[in-house]
Amino acid sequence: GDSVTQTEGPVTLSEGTSLTVNCSYETKQYPTLFWYVQYPGEGPQLLFKVPKANEKGSNRGFEATYNKEATSFHLQKASVQESDSAVYYCALGTGYNTNTGKLTFGDGTVLTVKP
Amino acid sequence: GPKVLQIPSHQIIDMGQMVTLNCDPVSNHLYFYWYKQILGQQMEFLVNFYNGKVMEKSKLFKDQFSVERPDGSYFTLKIQPTALEDSAVYFCASSLYWGGAGTGQLYFGEGSKLTVL
């Protein structure tokens, strides 16, 4: 079946430093890749998604490139802020026009950014 | 942005009892989902629902589970009877289109934490 593996947490960074959260996936179907973010007391919300191979998604300074050859979708941010403290989930959807909202999530990476 | 509301936020019940988790989806959304997250584990797909019918369910969606959305009211997940392994956070989500790929986007609620004693 489908699977997603991402950087184990927790990750603690100082403000202004760079972030990388690794994500790799396995599927035999056509993937769409997502990053979701969950702030304390809230549900997961979409950060961005990339449906096409070798394209980049970005939002709020975060970005990730869907690398089909490496089956990876690493999340990066050049300079994190305290407000970025949250749980980050990599997720996989399959079948571009046939997917029915079934996502496979990674374990989540807890990020804490200290001032 | 659009909000999905879940009621209750936390419920504690005894094993064997029935529980209903309620979800108020985004008003114009047509597709509805439940996901389950056991503490420290991945969020896992349970079921999706469209036009009054379950379209797809996972192996986690046991016979004791049921979903419905009567007359456009709450989208509910009912577990009857509950078991200890049902203790988890249950997330409801909704989308205007199928949310896994293409143009769809899932909007999640804050979760309902269920503790079965």
Side-chain angles (χ1 to χ4, degrees):
Chain A
D2 299 338
S3 68
V4 174
T5 305
Q6 63 179 96
T7 299
E8 287 189 24
V11 173
T12 302
L13 298 174
S14 298
E15 250 186 344
T17 59
S18 66
L19 167 73
T20 298
V21 180
N22 292 328
C23 172
S24 60
Y25 65 91
E26 286 187 24
T27 182
K28 294 183 179 179
Q29 301 182 69
Y30 187 99
T32 294
L33 297 163
F34 303 78
W35 277 102
Y36 277 81
V37 58
Q38 185 178 20
Y39 298 103
E42 300 182 12
Q45 55 184 271
L46 181 66
L47 192 53
F48 55 83
K49 68 179 179 185
V50 178
K52 293 185 180 178
N54 303 320
E55 289 195 352
K56 184 193 303 189
S58 63
N59 188 17
R60 303 185 215 168
F62 291 89
E63 62 180 33
T65 300
Y66 166 5
N67 185 326
K68 184 179 179 182
E69 288 69 35
T71 63
S72 67
F73 191 53
H74 305 321
L75 180 70
Q76 296 179 308
K77 187 172 187 182
S79 176
V80 295
Q81 307 299 312
E82 193 175 356
S83 57
D84 294 327
S85 296
V87 182
Y88 292 83
Y89 294 97
C90 183
L92 166 70
T94 54
Y96 186 86
N97 288 319
T98 59
N99 187 274
T100 55
K102 176 182 176 182
L103 298 179
T104 300
F105 282 86
D107 286 340
T109 300
V110 178
L111 171 66
T112 302
V113 179
K114 296 189 172 180
Chain B
K3 290 282 190 184
V4 174
L5 301 176
Q6 290 189 239
I7 303 165
S9 57
H10 191 188
Q11 183 143 10
I12 302 172
I13 60 171
D14 291 323
M15 182 176 60
Q17 287 188 315
M18 181 193 76
V19 67
T20 300
L21 304 180
N22 299 293
C23 172
D24 188 8
V26 177
S27 61
N28 62 336
H29 283 186
L30 303 174
Y31 303 86
F32 312 106
Y33 316 82
W34 285 101
Y35 280 77
K36 175 183 180 181
Q37 187 175 35
I38 295 173
L39 184 64
Q41 298 186 23
Q42 295 174 331
M43 192 157 38
E44 295 186 274
F45 171 82
L46 278 178
V47 66
N48 56 27
F49 189 86
Y50 168 70
N51 198 26
K53 292 182 285 190
V54 170
M55 303 303 289
E56 184 179 4
K57 57 185 179 181
S58 73
K59 63 184 182 214
L60 297 178
F61 194 80
K62 304 179 296 183
D63 292 343
Q64 297 89 334
F65 288 36
S66 63
V67 292
E68 63 176 357
R69 191 182 188 220
D71 300 325
S73 60
Y74 286 151
F75 175 52
T76 62
L77 173 65
K78 182 184 293 185
I79 309 174
Q80 181 178 25
T82 51
L84 293 176
E85 60 265 28
D86 297 331
S87 293
V89 179
Y90 291 85
F91 289 96
C92 174
S94 70
S95 63
L96 183 58
Y97 307 102
W98 280 125
T103 56
Q105 176 179 335
L106 269 65
Y107 291 83
F108 284 89
E110 296 176 6
S112 292
K113 183 177 180 181
L114 175 64
T115 301
V116 181
L117 302 177

